Amino acid sequence: MKPELFVDLAGLRLKNPVVTASGTFGFGIEYARVVDLAALGAVVLKTVTLKPRQGNPPPRLAETPAGMLNSIGLENPGVEAVAQDILPELKRRGVKVIASVAGETIGEYATVAERLAAAGADALELNLSCPNVGRGGLHFGSDPETAAAVTRAVRQVAGNLPVFVKLGVMGADVVKVATAVAAAGASGVSLINTLPGLAVDWRRCRPILGNITGGLSGPAIKPVALWAVWRVYAATRLPIIGMGGIMSAADALEFIVCGATAVAAGTGNFVNPRLTVELVEGLNRLLAAEGVVDVKELIGAAHRRSG
Ligand SMILES: Cc1cc2nc3c(=O)[nH]c(=O)nc-3n(C[C@H](O)[C@H](O)[C@H](O)COP(=O)(O)O)c2cc1C
């Protein structure tokens, strides 16, 4: 028998727990030739800001041992383009959409969120943790009070849409920030964003990235991400979208037993553009082989075994 993969993520009904990590899957449509988008739990869009952004100077990607460094700098066409052209197209294709939001001020977060909600997003993800932008981004998520203030402002304009807050592990303790955003109305948290890193060419005596520093992602950060999911789940029982180095269905299940309700694939999409659909197939296969009838049984299961 096929295992049950349906999950309820803070009221967002997903046919399976597999979603895309913001910024690593474009706006989804770019992948439609290789991935049946409607077969995924949801597509999380690249982060959107109020005005279009060109992003950081090149080079913006560098390969590292067991991962990747990026300094894209939130390049995007701005909220109007996404609301008018991209979101309606995804909805026509039957795709569940989590729209990722950023702003330079709290007011901008709320404006972008309200527009994306009106355009048909099924949920919002607040990017409070991008390490690659000068203003906005990181400092919002590294302080519990500021993170709560952004969440409160968005909660007021988001109607009954689930609002997830995406956090990193730099700055204040992630459990403190998660607790603060939950009190401010967040439905759940997305864990984790990239970690700061640097790659250098010693012969040219120059950092490789145009922005000098970047965000580290991929298998190198998986233990850190699992640690964050474990701790936030243990302390809060909040719904969690877990990510960081997921390359296989077994990786995804590690996040789920640590407390994630959904899992996002990021860097893995660059290695294998079909990774997301293969994760769904892999979950079916692994759960069936282990005799697990419903993936929900495994959410947080490692906590119950280690108490
Ligand atoms: C090229 C690239 C671009 C990214 N852009 C965004 C973004 O726009 N918004 C965001 O919240 N996270 C962004 N991220 C972070 C990912 O969504 C994810 O949190 C992180 O990469 C960890 O997952 P992974 O190891 O599976 O890639 C980006 C990551 C990469 C590699």
Side-chain angles (χ1 to χ4, degrees), residues 8-284:
D8 180 329
L9 178 69
L12 186 66
R13 301 166 63 80
L14 303 182
K15 63 179 70 155
N16 61 65
V18 178
V19 309
T20 59
S22 178
T24 66
F25 204 72
F27 289 103
I29 295 160
E30 299 92 320
Y31 277 77
R33 272 188 307 124
V34 287
V35 171
D36 174 9
L37 301 176
L40 305 180
V43 167
V44 181
L45 305 185
K46 190 171 177 35
T47 297
V48 180
T49 52
L50 187 58
K51 304 256 168 60
R53 281 178 66 101
Q54 289 199 322
N56 291 330
R60 308 201 295 190
L61 292 178
E63 222 174 304
T64 68
M68 185 165 103
L69 274 178
N70 88 83
S71 65
I72 308 295
L74 299 185
E75 178 186 351
N76 78 94
V79 71
E80 259 330 295
V82 176
Q84 280 178 29
D85 306 332
I86 296 167
L87 250 163
E89 172 63 22
L90 288 167
K91 297 313 296 174
R92 256 195 304 281
R93 292 168 185 249
V95 180
K96 210 144 249 185
V97 177
I98 303 178
S100 170
V101 174
E104 292 189 358
T105 62
I106 292 175
E108 269 188 29
Y109 270 93
T111 306
V112 175
E114 190 169 23
R115 184 71 187 97
L116 293 170
D122 297 288
L124 300 170
E125 182 178 84
L126 309 185
N127 180 359
L128 298 191
S129 47
C130 180
N132 301 321
V133 283
R135 287 200 291 155
L138 185 61
H139 80 265
F140 284 107
S142 55
D143 167 56
E145 276 167 31
T146 321
V150 180
T151 308
R152 216 173 289 118
V154 170
R155 182 72 277 165
Q156 276 170 10
V157 297
N160 49 16
L161 286 194
V163 175
F164 299 94
V165 177
K166 182 158 175 186
L167 301 173
V169 295
M170 306 307 292
D173 179 52
V174 65
V175 171
K176 283 210 177 84
V177 187
T179 308
V181 298
S187 321
V189 288
S190 301
L191 299 170
I192 61 173
N193 213 316
T194 54
L195 304 176
L198 182 131
V200 69
D201 180 339
W202 73 267
R203 288 185 198 279
R204 294 167 67 219
C205 288
R206 280 214 334 228
I208 290 169
L209 294 175
N211 191 47
I212 303 179
T213 62
L216 179 65
S217 62
I221 70 167
K222 194 179 79 170
V224 182
L226 289 172
W227 167 82
V229 170
W230 177 274
R231 293 183 58 240
V232 170
Y233 183 85
T236 67
R237 290 292 192 269
L238 276 172
I240 296 171
I241 306 175
M243 74 205 79
I246 293 176
M247 308 298 278
S248 68
D251 293 332
L253 287 166
E254 291 176 17
F255 278 84
I256 290 171
V257 299
C258 284
T261 298
V263 287
T267 301
N269 292 307
F270 293 86
V271 181
N272 171 10
R274 285 184 44 78
L275 176 64
T276 44
V277 273
E278 289 178 14
L279 288 176
V280 178
E281 290 157 11
L283 286 178
N284 270 316

Side-chain angles (χ1 to χ4, degrees), residues 3-7 287 291-299:
E4 175 63 78
L5 292 187
F6 165 83
V7 292
L287 295 182
V292 178
V293 294
D294 188 335
V295 70
K296 288 184 281 303
E297 288 168 27
L298 293 184
I299 300 171

